[in-house]
Amino acid sequence: MAGYSELLRAPGVARIIAAQLTARFPSGMTSLAVLLHVEQSTGSYGAAGIVLAALSIGQAVSGPVTSRWMGVWGMRRVLTLTAAVCAAAVLALALNPFGMPGFIAFGFIAGIANPPVQPAVRTIYPKIVTSRQLTPLFSLDASLQEIIWIFAPVVITLVATQVGTVPALLLIVVILIGGCTWFIASPEVGRVRIPRSRRGFGRVLGKPVVLLSTVTGFLLVGACAAVEAGVVATFGHEGLEAGIVLAVFAVGSLAGGLGFGHIPIGRWAMARRLTIVAVGVTLVMISLNAWWMGASLFVAGLGIAPALAVMFAITSASVRFSETAEAYGWIGTGQLIGAAAGSAVAGFLIDAMDAVGAFLAASAFAVAGALVAAVFVRGFPDLRGRDASPIPDTEPVPLIT
């Protein structure tokens, strides 16, 4: 913890972490609020699922596109535009007079205008700390984002059920505008300029590290989404057990990130950390008792934030600075698709096998992730004793003769 204290005392680090967490806080609220609002408005969970699909498709498409735009028009312009459009779309969802077509359209717009705060801040990190501090900073970032997934669903559920779904969506708009304004106003956002990439859109996926990070992120988040579905199927929506067990899962991730963040990243780091996740979610199937499930998912959680930290660090160390934002955008898109796939597969298996089917799906996703990391271990860089900063962009310098 002393290392993290030193890290947070570095100029601007604590401020930029707090600002980006606030700006990203709505990401833990929007899907649930939209689900509750559309279901209450239409009386159909099927209709709500269609709107959520439109939202998710928009987010998946926007990730690499808006991230790349930051190298063309600058971080502040892109973040300001996307935050304004996203806030307007969520507001329109709350006040929608157009029925189901309006919900689908505004949901898609809210998704495709999702501000690329995460790629932006992970592009900024290498410019505000030393190379020695960069890997622990990625680990701290991956750990602290669990705060979003612990508290945001609780807050939005309380507001939606006790006050109303329209006030819940309005609260998201307020936090989105306030958090993004704070982040955009941060001096570091203005100082860091992403060079325009000279490579074609999507070419960065040709780098093995980016592709491996995208695939393992897809499988990891797919496992987590299946776990969430399984926990809810086990305990239902009404009881406290589901919320408590999922909170323990997130606390395990927070503890793992803070506890393992100082460990150097070798080629086998991803395989080891995903194996921890796979072991934990597989143990759940022994018993669906709340105590056993909580203990097993705490173990699984210990590998989640450390695995995410590996993805961020190896990507940073393997691409040019001009490509980092787009690379993180693709990784984010992989995770979004993984969440949708994990939820869908778990849903089918719950119908066929009851709640244990969801944990079978989670185990399959996690084991597949560990196997991919082990089989393609040579595609992962060894960062022990290496600088995790991005490769600098170079260009010919004209000489006067």
Side-chain angles (χ1 to χ4, degrees):
M1 295 306 297
Y4 291 123
S5 298
E6 177 190 350
L7 186 59
L8 290 171
R9 286 197 297 269
V13 170
R15 180 182 59 246
I16 201 75
I17 288 176
Q20 63 97 5
L21 286 175
T22 306
R24 290 170 55 204
F25 201 76
S27 64
M29 309 168 81
T30 304
S31 294
L32 186 53
V34 169
L35 172 71
L36 294 170
H37 181 66
V38 176
E39 189 279 328
Q40 189 178 95
S41 301
T42 64
S44 169
Y45 276 105
I50 292 171
V51 177
L52 283 181
L55 176 74
S56 298
I57 291 169
Q59 290 175 331
V61 170
S62 74
V65 176
T66 55
S67 299
R68 187 178 175 90
W69 283 354
M70 291 192 291
V72 179
W73 295 308
M75 286 191 196
R76 280 184 166 155
R77 288 181 180 176
V78 174
L79 289 166
T80 301
L81 174 63
T82 52
V85 173
C86 186
V90 175
L91 181 62
L93 277 169
L95 308 176
N96 172 38
F98 303 111
M100 195 60 191
F103 282 133
I104 295 172
F106 293 133
F108 179 75
I109 293 170
I112 205 164
N114 186 46
V117 174
Q118 191 169 192
V121 76
R122 286 169 186 158
T123 301
I124 290 170
Y125 283 157
K127 300 299 182 182
I128 62 173
V129 297
T130 65
S131 58
R132 177 181 60 84
Q133 295 173 312
L134 188 54
T135 298
L137 179 55
F138 281 129
S139 183
L140 180 63
D141 177 270
S143 303
L144 292 180
Q145 75 177 7
E146 294 300 332
I147 294 171
I148 297 172
W149 308 113
I150 293 172
F151 294 109
V154 175
V155 170
I156 206 65
T157 301
L158 283 174
V159 174
T161 56
Q162 302 303 313
V163 184
T165 57
V166 171
L169 289 169
L170 296 179
L171 176 63
I172 290 172
V173 172
V174 170
I175 296 175
L176 178 66
I177 293 173
C180 286
T181 299
W182 184 13
F183 180 72
I184 292 166
S186 299
E188 294 77 14
V189 176
R191 283 200 297 265
V192 175
R193 176 75 174 88
I194 303 174
R196 185 191 293 260
S197 177
R198 293 188 293 274
R199 303 181 73 199
F201 177 70
R203 292 286 298 278
V204 72
L205 267 179
K207 290 185 175 292
V209 168
V210 179
L211 185 59
L212 283 170
S213 294
T214 302
V215 171
T216 52
F218 164 85
L219 294 168
L220 173 61
V221 175
C224 294
V227 164
E228 291 170 3
V231 171
V232 172
T234 302
F235 301 109
H237 293 273
E238 306 300 329
L240 292 174
E241 293 95 337
I244 292 171
V245 169
L246 289 175
V248 169
F249 188 34
V251 168
S253 178
L254 177 63
L258 295 177
F260 303 148
H262 64 287
I263 298 176
I265 295 174
R267 292 188 187 276
W268 286 96
M270 182 68 83
R272 284 196 295 266
R273 297 173 194 208
L274 290 179
T275 298
I276 294 172
V277 180
V279 169
V281 297
T282 302
L283 285 173
V284 175
M285 290 187 287
I286 295 175
S287 170
L288 298 187
N289 170 273
W291 289 98
W292 177 263
M293 188 182 295
S296 300
L297 290 181
F298 181 84
V299 172
L302 291 173
I304 294 174
L308 292 171
V310 172
M311 293 175 204
F312 306 150
I314 64 175
T315 300
S316 172
S318 304
V319 301
R320 294 188 182 278
F321 183 62
S322 60
E323 298 174 320
T324 51
E326 184 187 344
Y328 289 129
W330 283 111
I331 293 169
T333 291
Q335 292 173 3
L336 283 166
I337 297 172
S343 298
V345 173
F348 284 117
L349 290 179
I350 289 169
D351 289 339
M353 305 171 59
D354 208 359
V356 71
F359 295 108
L360 180 62
S363 177
F365 273 96
V367 169
L371 287 175
V372 167
V375 170
F376 296 100
V377 67
R378 292 190 175 277
F380 292 89
D382 188 344
L383 299 187
R384 291 172 297 183
R386 266 191 59 192
D387 185 353
S389 299
I391 301 167
D393 287 87
T394 57
E395 58 185 13
V397 177
L399 297 177
I400 300 174
T401 57

